[in-house]
Amino acid sequence: MKILVTGGTGYIGSHTVVELQNEGYEVVIIDNLSNSDRTVVDSIAEITNHVPVFEELDLVDRAATFACIEKHKDIVGVIHFAALKAVGESVEKPLLYYYNNLTSLINLLLAMQKFDLQNFVFSSSCTVYGQPDQLPVGEQAPLKKAESPYGNTKKISEDIIRDSVDAGSMNAISLRYFNPIGAHDTALIGELPLGVPNNLVPYITQTAIGKRDHLKIFGKDYSTHDGTAIRDYIHVVDLARAHVVAVKRMLQGNSKIPFEIFNLGTGNGFTVLEVIKAFEKVSGEKLNYQFTGRRKGDIEKVWADTSFANQELGWKAALGLEEMMLSAWNWELALSNRFT
Ligand code: NAD
Ligand code: WQD
């Protein structure tokens, strides 16, 4: 069975392609390589002993998208990762983000409609909850005004998908990721941040390896047990496996409603200092860090209520914080070997 994975050479997409191929699915990747590298296809092939089909194209190009889907119209499911995702950049270039993320989605849904493809999995984000009134946050929690144009593209995308499902025969599942971190245990694929990383874990590993002088911890006066902000970090391999489960659920006709939404996290929150401590323990490195003021737009604490995903999908995150940090560190070491 053939699955289309857009953004399949990206961070989460590449791990998902590996899990799909390990489960015997044929994969077609669409990516415009705006935030990833063609060599990822070779790494996926090395891990799985199977080369995925790779189509380099930009999903904002409707004609090219239609031609590609027509060529692969035996696809039975689509997992849509392709998007721009840098929160800060989206504040500076909102139109780029709305244009890329929403036009890609609409073109893909139009192509699915034209070629009668029915099963759609979407990469959403816990950013849609903002700072929740109650923790852990469940899927029914009210959505808050987005803190950034990027976050708003996720809210609007979910509305577009819901309306499309209501209007036709398509099924969809939106997966709201909490904070994906870590890398594949082969250290052949992982996150490849371009330039200075915005996210905590690549910043930690780049500091430890000497690419950055020190980590700035944003805020030490939050109302948490050590004053630093709390997030629900999830291993990217656990996240990838949830996508395979979601696709199977739709293929087997097990969806309870045509548009389902699931939180993907571990259900555990960790502070920034706890993440650093886990990193220092597994790597044996001492991290150079300093406290600075809060980062604009950051929330204080969030972690997922995962009970609905656990029960309905029969999926549960299995890997812990230390495994996440060790795999992230091994990936950073592998990257530094690659480029020296
Ligand atoms: P990524 O940047 O590594 O992967 C996205 C891929 O999409 C890249 O390879 C990029 O080249 C491709 N792409 C972007 N626009 C495209 C277009 N117009 N046409 C074709 N390809 C295009 O990002 P990721 O971390 O793997 O994220 C995957 C998805 O998950 C995104 O939708 C992101 O918003 C979402 N998400 C990510 C996180 C996170 O922290 N990484 C959290 C929640 C949600
Ligand atoms: C985690 C914690 C920072 C960097 C972002 C997006 C969100 C989602 C995931 C896609 C926070 C602190 C960070 C640093 C620090 N992406 N930190 N120093 O902000 O929870 O979420 O990525 O949907 O939409 O907003 O993740 O990794 O940036 O930060 O102290 O140099 O680490 O303040 O508390 P975040 P993050």
Side-chain angles (χ1 to χ4, degrees):
M1 285 199 277
K2 200 190 266 188
I3 308 292
L4 173 67
V5 180
T6 76
T9 47
Y11 172 45
I12 307 170
S14 57
H15 289 81
T16 303
V17 174
V18 165
E19 297 304 318
L20 285 165
Q21 293 197 159
N22 283 343
E23 294 266 326
Y25 291 96
E26 287 293 321
V27 176
V28 177
I29 294 174
I30 289 181
D31 205 296
N32 66 356
L33 302 178
S34 59
N35 197 36
S36 56
D37 195 284
R38 184 183 288 275
T39 58
V40 172
V41 178
D42 306 327
S43 302
I44 292 170
E46 194 176 336
I47 296 170
T48 60
N49 282 319
H50 192 80
V51 189
V53 174
F54 177 60
E55 302 279 5
E56 182 178 346
L57 72 88
D58 194 328
L59 288 162
V60 303
D61 180 341
R62 189 183 306 176
T65 302
F66 272 53
C68 183
I69 304 283
E70 182 165 29
K71 180 170 155 198
H72 298 287
K73 52 176 185 262
D74 52 340
I75 288 163
V76 295
V78 175
I79 308 181
H80 181 46
F81 292 103
L84 295 174
K85 62 158 183 178
V87 174
E89 186 187 51
S90 81
V91 176
E92 285 157 27
K93 300 176 184 167
L95 295 178
L96 174 69
Y97 273 66
Y98 286 116
Y99 184 66
N100 187 73
N101 294 1
L102 300 180
T103 311
S104 300
L105 172 70
I106 292 167
N107 284 345
L108 192 57
L109 292 175
L110 283 169
M112 288 181 67
Q113 194 178 55
K114 178 158 169 113
F115 298 105
D116 203 21
L117 307 186
Q118 307 202 336
N119 301 309
F120 187 73
V121 179
F122 178 67
S123 293
S124 189
S125 170
C126 68
T127 194
V128 299
Y129 297 119
Q131 176 61 66
D133 301 325
Q134 280 181 355
L135 288 167
V137 60
E139 290 85 352
Q140 302 305 329
L143 305 190
K144 298 276 173 70
K145 184 180 177 301
E147 288 287 350
S148 68
Y150 164 75
N152 208 23
T153 69
K154 293 297 172 192
K155 284 180 70 177
I156 297 170
S157 294
E158 285 195 356
D159 286 341
I160 290 172
I161 296 164
R162 184 178 295 104
D163 289 344
S164 306
V165 166
D166 285 350
S169 60
M170 188 179 82
N171 280 337
I173 292 181
S174 182
L175 300 175
R176 292 178 178 162
Y177 315 154
F178 282 64
N179 285 57
I181 62 169
H184 198 261
D185 62 10
T186 58
L188 287 167
I189 52 172
E191 191 170 5
L192 267 178
L194 292 178
V196 183
N198 296 304
N199 295 115
L200 177 64
V201 173
Y203 211 105
I204 289 177
T205 57
Q206 289 198 5
T207 303
I209 207 135
K211 281 190 204 161
R212 313 275 157 217
D213 177 65
H214 66 278
L215 171 80
K216 291 188 180 67
I217 299 183
F218 299 135
K220 61 171 177 180
D221 58 350
Y222 284 111
S223 150
T224 61
H225 53 273
D226 62 20
T228 62
I230 296 180
R231 298 288 184 274
D232 184 339
Y233 297 93
I234 175 167
H235 199 301
V236 67
V237 172
D238 273 328
L239 195 67
R241 289 182 180 142
H243 290 75
V244 182
V245 173
V247 161
K248 267 192 196 156
R249 179 178 175 86
M250 286 193 289
L251 292 177
Q252 293 170 350
N254 290 337
S255 296
K256 297 266 164 68
I257 50 172
F259 182 42
E260 296 184 313
I261 296 177
F262 297 102
N263 282 345
L264 296 183
T266 64
N268 302 312
F270 289 101
T271 65
V272 175
L273 285 172
E274 286 166 341
V275 173
I276 293 172
K277 200 190 273 176
F279 172 76
E280 289 183 331
K281 182 174 169 201
V282 297
S283 68
E285 300 287 327
K286 188 94 195 77
L287 191 76
N288 189 15
Y289 63 83
Q290 290 171 10
F291 289 99
T292 183
R294 294 183 181 194
R295 182 170 66 179
K296 192 172 168 295
D298 265 357
I299 58 163
E300 182 167 88
K301 49 190 164 193
V302 67
W303 61 93
D305 181 344
T306 60
S307 52
F308 187 57
N310 298 159
Q311 283 156 25
E312 276 300 313
L313 296 177
W315 165 92
K316 198 172 180 5
L319 301 164
L321 184 62
E322 290 185 6
E323 286 155 309
M324 301 180 211
M325 298 312 288
L326 182 60
S327 68
W329 180 232
N330 286 337
W331 167 242
E332 190 68 59
L333 292 170
L335 276 179
S336 77
N337 288 335
R338 215 187 271 189
F339 296 118
T340 49

